[in-house]
Amino acid sequence: MTQLLFFGRLGDLAGGVERTMTLSQPHAIADIIGLLDASDRLLGSALGEPRVRYAINGAIVDADALVEDEDELAFLPPVSGG
Amino acid sequence: MTQLLFFGRLGDLAGGVERTMTLSQPHAIADIIGLLDASDRLLGSALGEPRVRYAINGAIVDADALVEDEDELAFLPPVSGG
Amino acid sequence: MRRTIRISTDPFDPEAEIAAFRHALQNAGGMVSFTGLVRPSGHDGAVSALSLQHYPGMTERGIDEMLDDVASRWPLEAALVIHRVGEMQPHEAIVLVVTASEHRRAAFEAADLLMDYLKSRALFWKSETGAQGKVWIEPREEDYADAARWDDR
Amino acid sequence: MRRTIRISTDPFDPEAEIAAFRHALQNAGGMVSFTGLVRPSGHDGAVSALSLQHYPGMTERGIDEMLDDVASRWPLEAALVIHRVGEMQPHEAIVLVVTASEHRRAAFEAADLLMDYLKSRALFWKSETGAQGKVWIEPREEDYADAARWDDR
């Protein structure tokens, strides 16, 4: 089971920060966004925006990185702290 | 009576921060340094060093400014705060 | 460089933290603190609530790497970063950065860099809830420019 | 800009002052403090005592003019300057500067300028008494250079 994390306004669109997904085989992040887009266009297009970064198990990666089942995939929109 | 103030290391040389002097007529600061130098060469030459500034009644002035009796004349060596 | 990083939903008392930091110093001659406060009026008029989210674990690691960077740039005795997350009220402290060094310039610059990074690069997401509902805040152009000042130094 | 200047021979508690300053703020989003401490080892090995002298009245007026300058450069809500004079012991606070503004950059820069001025331009004279007797301290070249940064800005 893959853990998906949606931070910032992406969590509002996803209806929560956390969601799980079962991947029978490794998928590129871009493909996972495609799967999410198929059921929710608004969320899908937000996840694909150029300023959104991706992290697998806490490491920043590109959209073509492969996600395996048991991985944690996080979607990181522009940050703002302080 | 003129109040003289010697700050920082000048006070060590003058044997104290405060000293008084009676001026029967206005004198330029340079002349007052000359008077002090006559009785104490070490103090006199320290007061004339280029980095020492002068203040009459709290206002920074040049060495040719006139000091009158009842004035406060301060000798200000390089400062260091904080 | 002694370092402390704390991210918590609990309110904190900035001056109690600064005092504890100061009492642990050995030989520092100067200490700089920055305290970030929830302003009563935000981007959208009166703010009724401010909320901060982080990515547990990864946010801390990112700040730890910032502190590696800071330690390599300046000779600091100690640095402290505390960041609130969750719901906050006006006037509460959001963030506290404290740095200490032998001479003041290092402490000033290190605190300045840490705040620039925390504002625009650390993994936090901030939202304000006001009259017009919830708004996600992004760094101002100025914040990105501030952080970029350090990239070539 | 609300301002406070205090020069005193009495020891002060930096964090109590910072806390009082913070509680009086209305709309500031950030607050910067610098605390200068007596270092246990000074210019001449171990320091047994540090002493500061000022020119009563004139020193305060000079700092007040610095605050006029600061107020004309940045939109600050408040600024505080506390400076010890007389005899001090290692680890005691010599100086405290606190500034507050809507955005952090103004508070950082104002505190930085105030410290540069206090180090090299305000009317204070500092001496350390160590193993080799009493030594009058002058600003380092770096301190003069730091203060000169602001002259053309």
Side-chain angles (χ1 to χ4, degrees):
Chain A
M1 224 170 47
T2 303
Q3 176 85 9
L4 302 182
L5 296 172
F6 304 94
F7 289 104
R9 64 186 173 75
L10 301 176
D12 290 348
L13 294 172
V17 175
E18 302 181 25
R19 188 186 288 196
T20 55
M21 189 177 226
T22 303
L23 297 176
S24 49
Q25 60 184 67
H27 281 67
I29 294 173
D31 295 338
I32 294 177
I33 293 174
L35 292 173
L36 293 165
D37 185 69
S39 62
D40 184 341
R41 302 294 301 269
L42 212 59
L43 175 62
S45 75
L47 295 177
E49 282 174 15
R51 295 200 302 165
V52 172
R53 291 181 297 161
Y54 318 110
I56 297 179
N57 303 327
I60 301 286
V61 294
D62 291 329
D64 55 6
L66 288 180
V67 180
E68 304 189 35
D69 212 42
E70 305 301 319
D71 279 347
E72 178 177 271
L73 169 61
F75 295 96
L76 314 171
V79 297
S80 67
Chain B
M1 226 167 50
T2 303
Q3 175 85 11
L4 303 182
L5 296 172
F6 304 94
F7 289 103
R9 65 186 173 77
L10 301 176
D12 289 349
L13 294 172
V17 176
E18 301 183 24
R19 187 186 288 196
T20 56
M21 188 178 229
T22 302
L23 297 177
S24 51
Q25 62 184 67
H27 281 67
I29 294 172
D31 296 338
I32 294 177
I33 293 175
L35 293 171
L36 293 166
D37 184 66
S39 61
D40 185 341
R41 301 295 300 269
L42 211 61
L43 176 62
S45 74
L47 296 178
E49 280 173 16
R51 294 199 303 164
V52 172
R53 291 180 297 160
Y54 318 110
I56 296 178
N57 302 326
I60 300 286
V61 293
D62 290 329
D64 55 5
L66 289 178
V67 181
E68 304 189 33
D69 211 42
E70 306 300 321
D71 277 349
E72 179 177 271
L73 169 60
F75 295 96
L76 314 170
V79 298
S80 66
Chain C
M1 185 185 83
R2 214 160 13 85
R3 64 176 76 183
T4 309
I5 298 167
R6 198 160 78 234
I7 298 177
S8 168
T9 55
D10 295 335
F12 65 94
D13 176 340
E15 290 81 21
E17 302 291 345
I18 299 170
F21 180 93
R22 178 167 64 84
H23 291 129
L25 293 175
Q26 300 295 314
N27 198 36
M31 187 172 90
V32 170
S33 78
F34 177 85
T35 308
L37 302 166
V38 182
R39 278 186 288 148
S41 60
H43 292 72
D44 176 24
V47 170
S48 54
L50 187 135
S51 181
L52 266 145
Q53 194 183 31
H54 77 307
Y55 185 173
M58 198 172 167
T59 304
E60 288 86 342
R61 262 203 314 283
I63 295 173
D64 199 48
E65 284 166 14
M66 286 178 198
L67 288 172
D68 289 341
D69 181 24
V70 157
S72 73
R73 288 170 185 255
W74 297 287
L76 298 186
E77 180 177 332
L80 166 75
V81 174
I82 298 178
H83 209 299
R84 272 287 291 285
V85 290
E87 303 295 319
M88 275 157 263
Q89 301 306 312
H91 300 295
E92 286 187 339
I94 308 170
V95 63
L96 173 67
V97 162
V98 194
T99 54
S101 57
E102 196 175 348
H103 296 294
R104 75 188 178 290
R105 184 121 305 282
F108 263 115
E109 295 193 344
D112 199 8
L113 176 148
L114 283 169
M115 280 310 308
D116 286 346
Y117 277 22
L118 287 168
K119 276 277 175 185
S120 62
R121 298 189 180 177
L123 295 178
F124 292 102
W125 295 272
K126 185 193 285 184
S127 62
E128 284 178 5
T129 303
Q132 329 212 337
K134 183 176 176 184
V135 182
W136 289 94
I137 308 301
E138 292 196 9
R140 302 166 300 152
E141 278 311 312
E142 213 177 308
D143 292 317
Y144 288 120
D146 283 345
R149 293 183 301 156
W150 307 99
D151 290 344
D152 302 322
R153 288 172 65 177
Chain D
M1 183 185 83
R2 215 160 10 85
R3 64 175 77 181
T4 308
I5 298 168
R6 199 161 78 232
I7 297 177
S8 168
T9 54
D10 295 335
F12 65 92
D13 175 339
E15 291 79 22
E17 302 291 345
I18 300 170
F21 179 94
R22 177 168 63 86
H23 291 130
L25 293 175
Q26 301 295 313
N27 199 34
M31 185 172 89
V32 170
S33 79
F34 176 86
T35 307
L37 302 166
V38 182
R39 278 185 289 147
S41 60
H43 293 72
D44 175 24
V47 171
S48 55
L50 188 137
S51 182
L52 266 145
Q53 194 184 32
H54 77 307
Y55 185 173
M58 200 172 164
T59 304
E60 288 85 343
R61 263 203 313 285
I63 296 173
D64 200 48
E65 284 166 15
M66 286 176 198
L67 289 172
D68 288 341
D69 181 24
V70 157
S72 74
R73 287 171 186 255
W74 297 287
L76 298 185
E77 180 177 331
L80 166 75
V81 175
I82 297 178
H83 209 299
R84 272 289 288 287
V85 288
E87 304 295 319
M88 275 157 263
Q89 302 307 312
H91 299 295
E92 285 188 340
I94 308 172
V95 61
L96 173 67
V97 161
V98 194
T99 54
S101 58
E102 196 174 347
H103 296 296
R104 76 188 177 289
R105 184 119 306 281
F108 264 114
E109 296 194 343
D112 200 7
L113 177 147
L114 283 168
M115 280 311 306
D116 286 345
Y117 277 21
L118 287 167
K119 276 275 175 188
S120 61
R121 299 191 181 177
L123 296 178
F124 292 103
W125 295 273
K126 185 192 286 184
S127 63
E128 283 178 5
T129 302
Q132 332 213 335
K134 185 175 174 184
V135 182
W136 289 95
I137 308 301
E138 293 195 8
R140 302 166 299 151
E141 279 311 311
E142 211 177 310
D143 292 318
Y144 288 121
D146 283 346
R149 293 183 301 156
W150 307 99
D151 290 344
D152 301 323
R153 289 172 63 177

